[in-house]
Amino acid sequence: MKRRTFLATLGSLPVLGLNAGWARAATGGNMLPAVAVKLAAVDALGAGAAINDLIKLANTSGQPGLFRASLSAAPVNVPLLSGAPTEFWAYNGSLPGPLIEVIEGDTVEILFENRLPQATTVHWHGLPVPPEQDGNPHDPVPPGGKRLYRFVLPVGSAGTYWYHPHPHGDTPVQVYRGLAGAFIVRARSDPLRDIPERLLMISDLKLGADGRIAPNDADDEMNGREGQFALVNAQRQPVLLFDRSGRERWRIWNASSARYLRLVLPGAGITLVGTDGGLLERPVTGMTELLLAPAQRVEIIVEAGASKGRVELVAAPYNRGKMGDVPAEKAFSLLTLDFGKVESGAQKPLPARLGRIDDLGRPKAKKRVVFSEQMSMAGGGHSMKFLVNGKQFDMKRIDLVSRVNQVELWQIANEADMDHPFHIHGTQFQVIEREFDGKATPEPYRAWRDTVNLRPGETVRIKLVQRFKGVRMFHCHILEHEGAGMMGQLKVV
Ligand code: C2O
Ligand code: CU
Ligand code: CU
């Protein structure tokens, strides 16, 4: 059982009763501590254990083509530090949430139960599901409530997705307390199926010295929350014993609230083979680093080559323009890769063609989205407003209207001073070009994405189609910005 492994990794201490009252208090409204809470030391969590696999959500349907399961969100106490257990909120008691693995074409039926002290939803990030099944903030599941999510995942939707809460206002808190899980749609025929696969879900943890998950402070609200821990499969700096064959296929999720991951793996070869919404047309070889903005996923092939011994997967410094008096970015290790068992460095070439991504075609309509920041002096203190097209999110307002099945060109501009990752629900898009410093660079290859980063001053042009009528959210995926209203609504008619 995953929870047991998780506990074993971090030491075992008695599990105390739940304290929902505390949870409610700690997560309520505008409780920004003036002085940041004292955090646990970075070595307070053990490192160096063998990496855990993600546990799978059991399919209880005996019927081919139908994936049926139940999922609950509930508080769970985990003894991380001696003294007081840490209350997480988890799907099925598991950190990260259980892996949902289906095959393209499958019908998915998930009976969800909310055992949290507040309303929630389950959003299927990146998946082409109808709006009324997509966990929009308009469809809250109240505490103690249940709901059935049901959708069909069409052939062609194979890719690397995830699920997380999306209630009105409380998404940041629910995700940073632990609610997020991986969702893989497998292809019926996968050109890379023979390569051993590794799933790495990276999340953030900001842990108080008292063992509680720390609330957001003013810097977190402004820049997006970054704790002292970046965990991989809920472990601090685990060790990954590399496959004997010398080659692995990795799927990596950046499930953190706001942390950018500029991944480098000195001493190993990296080939990019897939993005959020599935495989590329051709492998992109010779990558030296990969930037994963919050919510983005990649599929890569990692090769040991001549490497022996151990190397670190490092998150190198990336300056995303944080404001205020925050420490300078520095590199840190996410995990240790152990090549000790590798038997051969020689590999047969990867398939030259991985799949086909057709150009979406000539756009019939255009949209423009502008991200901006505005200083606000309301209430005496300084705070920052995060805006989309000059406005804060309003659930009663439709910001843009699209026609179903019509190809559109979206121009997204970041007029703010920090990076903001743009995400839209319900579909995968194709980036056409990125314009920065007066220079437009066409995208070097076609890829399916649902999240794209924008540097300050950058404009990105994408093509997309929505295949269902209804309301879709689009927003910055730094969750504190989304929570503060950097989100809009698209109505598809
Ligand atoms: Cu991830 Cu709106 O979502
Ligand atoms: Cu989403
Ligand atoms: Cu943002």
Side-chain angles (χ1 to χ4, degrees), residues 316-376:
Y318 177 75
N319 177 5
R320 61 181 182 87
K322 285 182 206 165
M323 290 177 279
D325 189 17
V326 291
E329 305 292 336
K330 52 181 194 303
F332 59 92
S333 166
L334 283 161
L335 58 77
T336 302
L337 206 53
D338 183 346
F339 290 122
K341 282 248 160 45
V342 172
E343 284 168 0
S344 93
Q347 299 294 343
K348 57 175 195 216
L350 291 171
R353 294 286 303 192
L354 299 171
R356 215 173 110 182
I357 301 179
D358 290 326
D359 186 328
L360 280 174
R362 222 169 68 82
K364 297 283 192 322
K366 284 187 180 171
K367 295 279 182 292
R368 186 171 153 77
V369 172
V370 178
F371 282 158
S372 65
E373 293 153 4
Q374 205 185 337
M375 199 58 135
S376 149

Side-chain angles (χ1 to χ4, degrees), residues 150-168:
R150 187 176 192 281
F151 44 85
V152 179
L153 294 172
V155 171
S157 64
T160 308
Y161 306 93
W162 58 306
Y163 60 98
H164 63 75
H166 221 301
H168 187 51

Side-chain angles (χ1 to χ4, degrees), residues 123 125 164 166 423 425 475 477:
H123 167 56
H125 181 121
H164 63 75
H166 221 301
H423 166 58
H425 290 194
H475 56 89
H477 218 290

